[in-house]
Each structure stands twice: as C-alpha cells, then as structure tokens.
Amino acid sequence: MGIFSCENLEAASAPAGEILTFSGTGDMIILLLRNYEDNMKRFHKIYLEISNICNLNCNFCPGTKREKRSLSLEEFASLLPKLRPYSDYLYFHLMGEPLCHPRLAEFLALAGQAGFRVILTTNGTLLQYRQEILLNAPGLHKINVSLHAFEANDLAIPFQDYLDRCLAFGQAAQGNKLVVYRLWNQGGAEQRNGEIMSALKAAFPEPWQEQRRGIRIGDKIFLEYGDKFDWPDLEAPEGSCRVFCYGLRDQIGVLANGTVVPCCLDHDGDLALGNLFHEDLETILNTPRAKAIYNGFSDRYAAEPLCRKCGYARRFG
C-alpha cells in the first residue's frame, strides 16, 4: 500500500490573501500567482532536531552514531531568526523523541512567537505527560503519532494502555490541533494493525472520509498508512544513480549540533553542508556540495553515494 500523507494540510490552512476586485479572469489569475510568489518561502518545511536522544529503540529506526545532544534554549533561540525567512513550517523531528526535551514548552512558545507553525513527530509514549503543553501551545500546528512504534519495541507497558493513551490525546485535541496517526509499517512489523484499527474505530466512530492525502477519522484527526523503507546507510549496497529527492528543494534538516543536512533521513550527518551556529544559511546552501546535490536531483541523478543507498529516494527514481 502506498503512502498517504497529510503534509499539504499546512498549505490548505495558510492565512488567506487580500480580497480584491478584478476586471477579468486573467487579472485574477495573475494577481493570485503574484500573491502566491510573494508569500512563498524557499522551503516547504525545515526539520530541526531539538534532541537526538530517544526513549525507545525502534527496530525500523537506524538511530545515530552521533554524540547524544540536545539544543539549549539559547541555541534554539539563535537558530529561529536564521531559519524563519526560509520556511513557515518547523518540524521538531529528525532523530530523537521531541517530547523528551525538558524545554519543550519554551521551544514551542519561542517558535510560535517567531511566526512558525510547528509540527512534531512522536512515538506517543509521553503524550499523556505533555498533553497540556501541546494542546495549549498556539504555535503547534500538527502532531504526528507513530503508532507503529509499539510493535517495533519491547515495551514494559501493556499494548492496550499505550494505545488508549495515544487515542485519548487525539480525542482531547479534536478541533484544536491536527493529529495524524501513522501506520508506516506496511511490509514490516504490522501484526497488530488490526487491533489498532479496531481501537481507532472505537475512539473515532465511522463514517471516515478518505481524502487524497489521508483518511479523516475525526475533526482535524487523520490516519495515514505508509510502506516500511530502507534508511540511507553508507554501508548498504550501492543502488542506482537514477533517483530523485526533495532534499534542498522542499526541505532541509538541522541537527542538534547545528549541522545542516539536505533532508530528514540523514541520521548521521553524512551529508554535512555547513553549521548554522557558525555560518548563515544562504552561504551553506550555495556551497559546491549543496549545489551539486540540488542540480543532480534536477536531472534525477544522485551526486552523493548516500543518496544512491536510500530506499526512500528510489521511490522517485
């Protein structure tokens, strides 16, 4: 089964432009295009790893060989003005569990004050402890909950308790925050998906509405499926050079030590382009390595060995 994604829900909920009168349809189209271009940022989203520390060890996640590190409040605040001109959407995601960070509430407040819409991805284990913070953060736009995380671990808590807590959060968030329950385990550890689906239907009664990029199961509550994929790994067998990736085109990532990488799957920082603590982003994006990666993907060619060993990128080859 292919991936359903709710990424474009952000664009659909963007602030409306100025309402004007037009002398004809052509004038309307031109003005709408100009308005879109004026308000368009370079990247649809920026992934910011507030910590690479996680409370689980999922078998589908490669983890990282990097030193364990979390952003300080001062470091986080210093990055916001450097990133804000480039995107409206800031994802607390790469490696690590963002709900583990002790300064999460302050991070959400600062990002919201900077004008970001924040999206975070969580394994769901700490939702009940962070629920008040999340639901009361004006800048928090969406929470992705990876329900496939339980089966990928040997957790001490009973499965039903884990599931009940995750679904209780969605029920509390209905109509307030976007919540996306993920089952990105098709072709992997998916034996408990039937139980998960039964619990979802009990918590969010049908009818559900299947949409182009997700299944709407409640007010601002969605379910999305995805296939298990192979993460990029320099030690993996060489793949085809003919791939495409949205790295440096739709997204970039910033690791917890300030390193800028092309995409959210560079878990070890193998494609380091520069460091945002010491350089500005425009300089980093114009380095020879960054340009070679971007131009290569424009021709559906992977300039870097890591990209040729990425199971996700091969989907777009």
Side-chain angles (χ1 to χ4, degrees):
M1 186 179 296
I3 285 182
F4 287 106
S5 172
C6 295
E7 304 298 342
N8 286 348
L9 289 170
E10 291 99 45
S13 57
E18 184 180 2
I19 298 175
L20 299 172
T21 57
F22 304 92
S23 59
T25 303
D27 292 337
M28 179 184 292
I29 293 172
I30 290 171
L31 189 57
L32 286 172
L33 287 172
R34 287 176 178 169
N35 186 46
Y36 173 75
E37 290 172 354
D38 289 344
N39 289 284
M40 186 173 61
K41 299 289 196 298
R42 179 162 180 177
F43 299 111
H44 177 59
K45 51 186 174 284
I46 293 176
Y47 291 91
L48 178 57
E49 182 186 74
I50 63 174
S51 173
N52 62 15
I53 300 168
C54 190
N55 62 336
L56 295 185
N57 186 26
C58 298
N59 60 25
F60 58 79
C61 177
T64 181
K65 303 184 185 84
R66 291 177 285 126
E67 178 184 359
K68 299 301 182 186
R69 193 181 194 283
S70 298
L71 288 176
S72 70
L73 187 63
E74 294 72 24
E75 289 172 335
F76 181 82
S78 74
L79 291 176
L80 293 178
K82 297 180 179 182
L83 297 174
R84 184 65 185 94
Y86 292 87
S87 184
D88 291 326
Y89 296 96
L90 189 65
Y91 282 59
F92 289 0
H93 187 43
L94 245 140
M95 290 288 105
E97 168 55 54
L99 300 194
C100 286
H101 202 296
R103 312 300 291 268
L104 177 66
E106 294 159 284
F107 283 10
L108 288 169
L110 287 173
Q113 291 164 14
F116 279 112
R117 292 184 177 189
V118 179
I119 295 90
L120 62 82
T121 298
T122 174
N123 58 44
T125 56
L126 301 175
L127 281 173
Q128 66 172 335
Y129 307 108
R130 297 294 200 169
Q131 177 169 308
E132 185 175 353
I133 290 172
L134 298 175
L135 297 186
N136 291 306
L140 181 61
H141 178 61
K142 184 171 71 171
I143 305 98
N144 297 316
V145 184
S146 300
L147 293 180
H148 50 278
F150 186 95
E151 194 169 353
N153 288 271
D154 184 19
L155 297 185
I157 62 172
F159 175 64
Q160 194 59 51
D161 289 355
Y162 164 79
L163 203 52
D164 288 345
R165 295 171 187 178
C166 290
L167 301 187
F169 175 81
Q171 290 173 319
Q174 277 204 92
N176 180 15
K177 304 292 185 185
L178 281 171
V179 177
V180 179
Y181 291 113
R182 290 178 167 179
L183 286 174
W184 284 19
N185 57 359
Q186 311 301 292
E190 54 181 323
Q191 286 71 35
R192 307 201 81 149
N193 282 10
E195 297 172 73
I196 293 173
M197 292 299 293
S198 295
L200 283 167
K201 289 177 180 177
F204 304 97
E206 296 179 286
W208 293 353
Q209 183 183 3
E210 188 161 329
Q211 301 180 346
R212 188 172 67 91
R213 293 185 177 273
I215 303 173
R216 185 179 181 274
I217 64 174
D219 187 3
K220 293 190 174 182
I221 311 297
F222 291 81
L223 169 65
E224 95 182 11
Y225 291 103
D227 294 331
K228 182 180 179 295
F229 61 88
D230 294 324
W231 284 68
D233 186 341
L234 285 173
E235 296 179 5
E238 185 81 9
S240 171
C241 291
R242 185 169 177 75
V243 297
F244 178 78
C245 179
Y246 288 99
L248 292 174
R249 192 175 306 270
D250 170 83
Q251 62 176 270
I252 55 168
V254 182
L255 303 180
N257 66 354
T259 298
V260 176
V261 293
C263 78
C264 62
L265 297 182
D266 189 1
H267 53 99
D268 277 328
D270 293 312
L271 300 183
L273 302 175
N275 192 292
L276 208 51
F277 289 145
H278 310 300
E279 305 164 85
D280 65 85
L281 188 53
E282 197 62 28
T283 298
I284 294 171
L285 295 175
N286 281 288
T287 58
R289 189 177 200 181
K291 287 185 171 181
I293 293 171
Y294 182 93
N295 292 334
F297 284 132
S298 296
D299 295 327
R300 296 191 175 275
Y301 171 79
E304 292 280 348
L306 185 70
C307 303
R308 296 196 289 271
K309 300 179 179 186
C310 176
Y312 197 85
R314 284 196 292 273
R315 297 179 176 190
F316 309 107

